[in-house]
Amino acid sequence: MSENDAVAGLRQVQESIRRSASDYDRDPASVTLVAVSKTFPADAIEPVLAAGQRIFGENYVQEAKAKWPALRERYDGVELHMIGPLQSNKAKEAVELFDVIHTLDRPSLAEALAKEIAKQGKTPRLLVQVNTGEEPQKGGVIPTEVDAFLEACRAKYGLTIEGLMCIPPAEDPPSPHFALLNTIARRHGLTVLSMGMSADFDAAIQLGATHVRVGSAIFGSRTNR
């Protein structure tokens, strides 16, 4: 995909978000686009940065570490989101690199993040990933355990949780999963809902998404990793 294609993709996604938000009587400014740049090299990302996009999502700590420090030197105001599974032994680098972590999903990671936040004095915004489909191969807290996990994050680890994230099962209609995430968030007074990707962000916006994670509709198809 050429740099012009990526910028055109960005503009189309931005317009689709505006249209969806308006269709559902929402302020378009209440929906944040996270451009998913995982697996794409810096030279593919730079045109999108130059076009004004500042919020990006990455899946891998090492990949983000290789690309983003140099890009951040050239572009002010970048906000980097960790949207992939996070190993506890990568907590140090994750807290150093990322402004928002979407994938907090177990006590060992909560403990590791709390330790690094205290040590580094940095406070990335934290979301709990919910495994709405209860898929054994996927990260996330199962819905019946979210209440207890959120309480442990607050009371045991001293963490502030801003919201929830989910990735519905590929074979399911996404809307029931988005609705479930919204219900859990409301119960806990959480204001951030990270849900919806290239194929389903319209449904996510209808059901209250504040952050949609869009990659292929901007950058084109990627190699599977």
Side-chain angles (χ1 to χ4, degrees):
M1 182 178 255
S2 75
E3 60 183 61
N4 289 337
D5 288 339
V7 173
L10 173 69
R11 298 293 180 233
Q12 287 172 355
V13 169
Q14 289 170 330
E15 178 54 33
S16 295
I17 289 170
R18 280 194 290 272
R19 195 164 52 243
S20 294
S22 297
D23 286 346
Y24 303 123
D25 295 320
R26 294 188 57 191
D27 178 359
S30 71
V31 183
T32 297
L33 169 61
V34 181
V36 179
S37 48
K38 67 176 184 179
T39 79
F40 289 99
D43 60 1
I45 299 167
E46 198 146 3
V48 177
L49 278 160
Q53 176 67 19
R54 286 294 179 272
I55 301 173
F56 291 84
E58 291 282 345
N59 272 43
Y60 306 98
V61 170
Q62 291 311 115
E63 183 185 342
K65 193 177 176 181
K67 294 191 297 198
W68 280 100
L71 287 170
R72 278 182 142 157
E73 285 182 9
R74 293 202 292 280
Y75 295 92
D76 291 335
V78 168
E79 187 176 283
L80 204 54
H81 291 234
M82 177 65 182
I83 61 171
L86 181 57
Q87 297 169 290
S88 298
N89 64 3
K90 300 285 190 191
K92 178 179 184 291
E93 291 169 306
V95 170
E96 287 171 355
L97 273 169
F98 291 96
D99 302 289
V100 188
I101 295 171
H102 291 230
T103 49
L104 173 54
D105 66 351
R106 59 197 186 280
S108 60
L109 181 55
E111 183 176 13
L113 288 171
K115 191 180 297 182
E116 285 303 325
I117 286 167
K119 191 182 294 183
Q120 296 185 35
K122 292 185 72 179
T123 51
R125 296 159 59 199
L126 301 175
L127 311 184
V128 165
Q129 181 175 352
V130 181
N131 187 344
T132 54
E134 301 189 31
E135 298 173 275
Q137 79 282 10
K138 192 177 282 181
V141 183
I142 65 170
T144 55
E145 295 178 0
V146 173
D147 295 2
F149 184 66
L150 286 169
E151 173 62 19
C153 285
R154 184 183 64 80
K156 185 173 182 181
Y157 303 111
L159 296 173
T160 298
I161 305 299
E162 287 198 12
L164 305 176
M165 178 268 232
C166 77
I167 306 169
E171 67 278 4
D172 283 9
S175 291
H177 295 273
F178 298 153
L180 174 59
L181 200 72
N182 191 330
T183 298
I184 297 169
R186 284 173 184 248
R187 188 162 74 231
H188 291 276
L190 300 173
T191 57
V192 176
L193 282 171
S194 169
M195 57 190 198
M197 297 187 283
S198 290
D200 57 18
F201 66 78
D202 177 79
I205 291 169
Q206 182 182 14
L207 289 160
T210 62
H211 291 67
V212 295
R213 310 178 306 271
V214 180
S216 58
I218 298 171
F219 293 103
S221 57
R222 60 173 60 85
T223 52
N224 287 326
R225 277 182 55 185

